[in-house]
Structures are given as C-alpha cells and as structure tokens.
Amino acid sequence: MVIDSHCHLHDPAFADVRETVTTALAHDVWGVVAVGCDPDSNETTLARAAALPKAIWPCLGLHPDWDKLGDAELERVEAQLARYHARIVALGEVGLPWYSLEGAADAAGRMARGLARLERLLALAVRYDLPVVLHAPHGAAGTALEALRRRGVERAVFHWHKAPAAITGAIVEAGYLISVTPEVVYRDRDRELVEAVPLASLLVESDAPWPYRGEFEGRPSGPWLAARAAEEVAKIKRLPVDDVMRQLCANTVSFFDLPWR
Ligand SMILES: [Zn+2]
C-alpha cells in the first residue's frame, strides 16, 4: 500500500471523490495528498478532504505556471493559509514558473515576479511549520533550492522532479525530497533519477488527472497510478515491492506528518 503524495483532487474528473478514493484503495493506494493551485481549487480541495478526512490530506497552493494568477490571487491564498493552516498538511503546489516562460516576451521579469511570490509563500510555510510541495522543473530547480535555503525551509519535496544531476544531488544533500510520477515506467530520464536518488529521499505521486503515455495511454488517470509508480521504483532499485512500498509510505507519512493508520 502507498500514499499518492500529489494529486489534483480538485479537478472535475474527481467530483465523485468517494468513488475516486475507493478505486485508489482497490489499487493499493490508501491515502491521497491533495494539492491546490489557486484560491478556487484550494477551496474545492478543502471540501473534498473534509468529506473523507481519513483518506485525503489537503494542501493549499498557488501554481507558478498557471497563467492569469497574479498578486490578487497571491493575497487570497495568503489569507487562506492564515485561516486554514491548522487543517492542511503542506503548502503546495507552489514554486517557480518554467513552462509558461517558453516564448514569453518578458521571461526574466516573470521569473523575478514568480520568485518574489514564492519567497512570500515560503515565509508563511516557515511561520506555520508546513512542508512545501514544489513545482520547480528543469532550470527552475536550482533557484528554488536557493530560495528554500535562504528562507530556512526544513521540509520540501520537488514534485515531478527533473533537473541536471548536480542540482538533484544538491537537493538530496540538503535533505529535501524528490517525487516521481508514473512517467518512471516508460521514461529513461525518470528511471535514471530513481537510480541516482536514495529510496529514503523518494516519494511517488500521480499528479492526476495528468494523462500519461505508454501503458497508461487511453486509461483514466487518478491517484491509483501512484502504486504503479511505486512498483516500478522497486524494479529499478531491485528490491521487493512490499519493502519499497513500506519505505515510500514511511517517507510520505513522516514528511507530511500524517496520522499513521
Ligand atoms: Zn501538480
């Protein structure tokens, strides 16, 4: 059994949240860490978690690559954090823009504004003692790592991580975690990442409802895919799958400080 460490349960695909969780349980996923992306999805995430508090743990976030999210949304998310920090298990997802910078006329300015927003949110994570779920792919990872250190953040996970090996090494060295998606089943880049990162520094996630390729093509995406990712981690690490699932579970429980069932 594993926990999905990053799922967008606010998505309309998961409107029947009870059925979603039941399907996940049937596939060896007994809990879901549900991230938010903006004020509205944060509210939906809280509502879905309140419906099934033993299986869903909510986070509040502001997605750095979502267009049209500006300072007004940042202020609303800050207000949500002030109000709900005791009900959530992490700040997330937050981070730095990367995909939205491609072809943008003002990429440097967007990155600078993104970093300023991230720093404000990290300050709140420290204040409320919340771990941080980061979206900081590729060239954004190093900058995010510096921001974590500058702000004195102790617990952070780089979700769906991809970055040069040296940056990944520095992240692990600093005691932060790396999370992998079902892409690990079919993508060499992710498989090499799992080879390189110690099991104690890994989490698995679905990032559902993201549609995956390979064997997942045409099949519904949901938190249940986290178990398949865990199975593949076991194969890559050449360890018994039950042991790997237990360790990944323990990593997730300790990182988010979840009630152990
Ligand atoms: Zn996500």
Side-chain angles (χ1 to χ4, degrees):
M1 299 289 269
V2 287
I3 298 164
D4 180 1
S5 74
H6 184 120
C7 183
H8 293 267
L9 280 187
H10 57 80
D11 191 275
F14 306 123
D16 189 342
V17 73
R18 197 168 291 274
E19 190 189 305
T20 300
V21 165
T22 304
T23 307
L25 195 58
H27 288 80
D28 283 346
V29 176
W30 66 269
V32 183
V33 176
V35 295
C37 296
D38 68 349
D40 291 344
S41 63
N42 286 342
E43 291 289 347
T44 307
T45 301
L46 287 171
R48 301 231 158 120
L52 289 166
K54 285 183 182 163
I56 302 170
W57 301 287
C59 314
L60 300 177
L62 183 71
H63 201 295
D65 260 330
W66 278 24
D67 263 345
K68 304 189 194 84
L69 295 182
D71 285 340
E73 285 75 19
L74 172 63
E75 281 165 26
R76 282 181 64 197
V77 172
E78 286 174 327
Q80 288 177 323
L81 286 164
R83 184 163 176 201
Y84 298 119
H85 66 89
R87 275 175 56 184
I88 61 175
V89 297
L91 170 70
E93 66 183 276
V94 297
L96 292 171
W98 186 254
Y99 302 114
S100 61
L101 300 183
E102 202 180 310
D106 180 28
R110 271 173 181 251
M111 183 51 117
R113 285 192 295 279
L115 181 57
R117 286 191 190 121
L118 175 62
E119 299 242 12
R120 272 171 63 169
L121 290 164
L122 291 182
L124 290 182
V126 171
R127 176 169 166 188
Y128 298 130
D129 193 22
L130 293 168
V132 180
V133 179
L134 279 173
H135 165 104
H138 302 291
T143 311
L145 174 61
E146 285 167 21
L148 291 175
R149 286 187 164 136
R150 210 164 33 241
R151 287 287 166 184
V153 174
E154 288 177 3
R155 287 178 292 162
V157 58
F158 285 70
H159 117 83
W160 201 339
H161 179 66
K162 39 263 202 188
I167 300 285
T168 300
I171 289 169
V172 171
E173 187 69 25
Y176 301 125
L177 302 187
I178 300 287
S179 174
V180 293
T181 68
E183 232 181 22
V184 73
V185 172
Y186 57 84
R187 193 160 186 167
D188 287 343
R189 183 182 68 198
D190 300 71
R191 302 178 73 79
E192 285 157 19
L193 180 67
V194 167
E195 287 265 19
V197 173
L199 189 55
S201 302
L202 282 174
L203 299 183
V204 287
E205 61 170 293
S206 68
D207 204 16
W210 185 266
Y212 293 96
R213 300 197 306 270
E215 68 180 55
F216 308 105
E217 189 106 43
R219 285 170 50 195
S221 174
W224 43 87
L225 297 184
R228 182 67 185 89
E231 189 185 290
E232 204 62 23
V233 168
K235 277 193 215 166
I236 295 167
K237 293 290 193 193
R238 291 177 284 283
L239 291 168
V241 68
D242 284 353
D243 295 357
V244 168
M245 282 191 168
R246 200 172 303 118
Q247 176 72 52
L248 290 169
C249 238
N251 295 349
T252 315
V253 164
S254 124
F255 177 78
F256 291 103
D257 201 12
L258 303 178
W260 180 249
R261 195 171 67 168

